[in-house]
Structure formats: structure tokens, C-alpha cells
Amino acid sequence: MLTELERKRLSLRVLLETAQELSGILQPRKIMETFLLTAMGPIGAMRGVAVLARPAGCEGMVLSRGLPPAEAEALEQRLPDICDAYFPYRDLDGDFPSSKIRVIRRDQAGSDSLLPRGMDILLCFNVDESHCGLLALGPLLSADGTGAGGELDADSSTLLHSLLHLLIGALRGALAVSNIRQLSVDLGRKNDRLTEALATSQAAQRGLDRRVHQLSAINELAAEMAHVHDVQGILDGFLLTVLGAFSVNCGMVLVLDRLAHSVDLALRGAPDTGLSGYAAADVLVYKAFLASGARSVAPLTVDSVENPAVALAGCGLPFEGVCAMYFSLDRDVQGVLVLGETISGEALESEDVQMVQAQVGTLMGYVLGARHLATITALNEGLKSQNEELTRTVNELTEARQTIDLLERAGERVRSFLHAEGLRSKRFSWLDCGVILVAAMLLGFLFNLASPNGVPLVPEHLKRPPSQTVTAQKARELQQSDGALIVDARPQAFFDQRRVRGAVNLTPALFDMVYLMRFAQVPLSTPLIVYGGNISRRWDEEVATKLTAREHERVLVLEDGLSSWEARGYPVEP
């Protein structure tokens, strides 16, 4: 027989070993299996059943030891009945503290057929707000080892209760970890959904920004096209705007006039490989017509070219076409627009292609108007020439008979004119000048009050702070030592006539579009030297102010402009 001290030492060793085994397990099933084996040994139980369930949903797990497989499987099927029979105390006693363990007799459970016979040691416990547990043990080995059931003595009951407290603590930790893991998984899924939603929102925002930029560029193009009256100038401006609006590296647009046997070509980002010639342009237009959806050469039609990289292969294109449009002004005048890859390498979206097609339709209107204007101008020139010829002939026929008469009339008119001018000059006074000046100022003031777009009394460039200037010699040194970039702010016509060698044309009218194409990648620390001012217009100051607004660190204006550069003998072109 064990002494009382030895029994206590044994109990403490069992509790220590059980606590060590359960401390490293995070799975509730594994904890229940380990505990059941640990509890049966010290108690001397031949069979055991452990239940962990959620009574609210009648779900959980049933573990057993010492039962036949068929009986253990049947026991698992009776989990809902076990919940109803052994966990009704929640409704009877209210909240049951999880630290309290209740011993239940089988006759108190209301059903004696759920658990195998002989399991008379029944203990119910609460793990947390939603989980309850049941431990059933028995029969117990008797003191003589015959297997006859017996009841727990005080020491065994205390040990079993202590073991159950360890089980409750381990289950709480495991369930808390499981809840945390599930919460982490749920948060991860929500985070993934939020990330997807954010990416979708950002993509939509980028699409809207791209549409705004495209519409802004096209609106500026419409304003500029109103002042261009030749077909070549219209094609150049249109192509430059389209490339900038849709961020395309290279492109070309041509108009073929079969009646006049002529070609108008605009090409950007690639060399001319002969498409300016009539034969090559005719082949390109014909292949574009075949690959488009057009079935006839109807006036003022635009059709998209299917698979332009394949359809237009072998036509002399200096780049691979990604988007192409065939358009027809009439039976004798057709054209083609071909765009290369985008700067980002991404394909144009269907909305972009539709917008390009719509803008080609607008282009046709401008080209048609320019051609009509050219026709009218030519007719007017012919009529003017014929008029002049007829007038000269009539004058020659009547000159001999009317010479004297004409001279007399001319002399009389001259005398009358001189006399009238003399009289008018005598009536002129400084008071008249003052009256005219006051009237002009009053009319200007009334005009500004009546019109929201009045005439400013002080020019806008006089209100801006002057930009920092630099001499031609210092500008040349910055170009050679710091890699300064020379910016020509004058209009394209002046830029084409004469400019600083290597200068980039950046006018105030096309500032946003050209800046995006040519200056977006220029480091902000690179010196920018702007020239292009004259007496009537300070283009250099306008461009310098806009570059400074873009946060460029060193924006300088060249003193005396291009003339000072040429005076120093520095290189210019062409």
C-alpha cells in the first residue's frame, strides 16, 4: 500500500507530466486524445470517453479509448443526443464558470443509453462561452485487480479534477489560437478583396486620367487646326497630338490623291522608307482598304484595319503597326493612319481605338476643308489673273484717246485732295487728341465691365517675376559641362528657319503635350536654358515659368536670345 506522501508525489508527477505534454499541443483533438490517455492511467479506468462540443450547434468531437470500433463509431453518431442530455445546465443555472467542474450521475442525465455501461464517472465542464466538455470513465480496476468497478477515493477525485483544470486551460489556449488563425485567415481574405478593389479603382482612375488627357490634347488640337490651312500642316499637327495623347512611340498618316498623283505624308519616330512616293503609298492604301471593313470607296468613311502587323507587312512601313485606320474623303482621295507600340508596351484598349477612329473622322473634315480652301484660292488666283489681263487690255486700247482727259482728271483730284487735307490739318488741335484718348479709355473701361473676357490693362508677362537670366557664354559652359538642355520657345515656323544646334522646340501652346513626350524623363536637376523672346512676344518667359512650375531646379533665360548666341559664334542649325 502506498503511503499518503507517496500518493501525493505520484499525483504531482502526473500533473507535471500532463501539463508538459499538453503545453506544446495546439490542436483540440490532439489535446483531448493525449488527455484521455493520461487521465485513464492514474485513475485506473478501463475505458474512457471525452467529448468537446458546441451545444448551440450540436457539433463537436467524440474520442474514446477501450471501446470496440463499432461502439465507438455509434457513439460519435449520438453527439446531438449527448449535447441535449449532458449540457442542459446552461439553461438551468445560467452562465456556468469554466473553472467549475460538475460531477453528474447517470440517472441525473436523463438518458442512460447514450454512454456504454460501466462508465459511472461523469464530469461536465465549460471551456469557454461556446464550448463544453464531458469526461466519462469506468469501470475502475479494483484494489485486487479483478476489474470490478469501484468509486473514486478522495485523492483520485482530486487528481482527476486537477487534470481537468489542466485540460480546460490547454483547450482554451488551443481554441484561442484556432480563433486567431481563423480571424487571420478572414482578415487576409478581406485584405485580398480590398487589395483587388483598390487595384480595380486605381486602374479605373488611370483610365479616367488617360481619357481626360486625351480629350484635353484633342481639344487643343481643334483650337490649333482652326488656324492651319494646308494639308501637310494639318497632318503634322494631328499626328503629333495623337502620339502624345495615346503615348505612342511612332506613327504615320498619309493622304493619297490619285487624281493629282500626289502624296501628303506625316511621319514621326521613324525614318521615311519611301512612303512619300506615289507607288509605295498607293500599295499601302490598297492593302489597308482590303484589310478594313470597307466594301466600297464611300466618301467620308473611316474603318479599322484588322491585324495591321500582318495586313500591312511588306508595304515599306518603318515600324510594326499596332493600330491602323483606313479613311476615304472621296473616290480619288484616300488615306491611312498607322500607330506603333505605346511607350509602356501595352496594347491600346478598345475605347482608345474607338477614340482614334473618331479623331480620324475629325481629321478628314479638316483635310477636306483645307483642300476646298486650296481649290477656292487657286480659282481666285486664276480669276484675279484674268481680271488683271482684261484690265490691262482695256487700258491699252483706250489709253491713246483718254490720256489727256485722265491726266486732267487726275490733276484735279490731286488738287482737291491736297486742298481738303490742308483744311483738315488746320482744324486739328491737341484738344482733339485729348478727347480721342479719353473716349478710347472710357470705351475700354466700359468694355471690360460688360465683358467677362475684357482686355487686360497690364500684360500678363509684366505681372510675373522675371526669370533668372544667363549669358550666351555661361549657357555654352553649362551645356558642355553640366549637360544643359537648350529649349527653343518660339513657334515651329521660326524654329525650322534657324535655331541653336541640338535645341528642343517647346512652345507655350503645345507645352503640356510636348513636355509629356520630350521632358517627362529629364531629371529635375538638369539645367534648362530657354530662349525665344522678341519685342512683341515673350515666349521664353512663358515657357520658363511653366518649367519652373513643373519643379525643375535650374531654369534660365538666355540674354538677348538667339542673336547673342550667334554673335559668339556658337553652333546653330540648319
Side-chain angles (χ1 to χ4, degrees), residues 104-112 115-120 122:
I104 300 178
R105 296 201 310 269
R106 296 187 64 147
D107 57 353
Q108 290 178 330
S111 176
D112 195 30
L115 298 175
R117 293 188 176 278
M119 291 186 172
D120 296 328
L122 302 180

Side-chain angles (χ1 to χ4, degrees), residues 240 268 489-499 505-507 510:
L240 185 61
R268 292 279 181 174
R490 301 174 302 164
Q492 181 74 31
F494 295 100
F495 176 81
D496 292 338
Q497 291 177 3
R498 198 166 189 81
R499 59 186 177 272
N505 191 214
L506 179 62
T507 64
L510 298 176

Side-chain angles (χ1 to χ4, degrees), residues 228-230 368-386:
V228 182
H229 304 300
D230 63 294
L368 195 61
R371 290 176 59 84
H372 288 166
L373 179 61
T375 302
I376 293 172
T377 302
L379 292 175
N380 285 337
E381 290 295 331
L383 291 175
K384 182 179 179 181
S385 177
Q386 292 179 3

Side-chain angles (χ1 to χ4, degrees), residues 137-269:
L137 301 174
L140 304 180
L141 292 171
S142 63
D144 56 5
T146 61
E151 296 184 358
L152 293 176
D153 55 20
D155 292 337
S156 298
S157 178
T158 301
L159 176 61
L160 184 58
H161 278 71
S162 300
L163 290 174
L164 274 177
H165 282 297
L166 292 177
L167 172 64
I168 292 171
L171 287 175
R172 282 181 181 176
L175 291 173
V177 171
S178 177
N179 291 336
I180 292 174
R181 287 178 176 174
Q182 184 61 39
L183 181 60
S184 178
V185 171
D186 294 341
L187 289 176
R189 291 174 180 172
K190 290 181 179 179
N191 186 55
D192 293 340
R193 289 195 294 269
L194 289 175
T195 302
E196 293 176 359
L198 178 61
T200 302
S201 176
Q202 290 175 344
Q205 183 63 41
R206 288 193 298 269
L208 289 175
D209 292 342
R210 187 168 60 253
R211 294 290 177 270
V212 170
H213 171 66
Q214 292 169 357
L215 292 174
S216 176
I218 291 168
N219 184 49
E220 292 179 2
L221 174 65
E224 292 187 10
M225 288 298 180
H227 306 288
V228 182
H229 304 300
D230 63 294
V231 175
Q232 186 61 51
I234 291 174
L235 296 182
D236 289 335
F238 174 81
L239 182 60
L240 185 61
T241 301
V242 169
L243 295 182
F246 296 94
S247 301
V248 177
N249 284 318
C250 52
M252 59 81 61
V253 58
L254 66 83
V255 174
L256 176 71
D257 188 342
R258 289 191 170 87
L259 190 62
H261 214 71
S262 63
V263 177
D264 291 301
L265 171 68
L267 183 63
R268 292 279 181 174

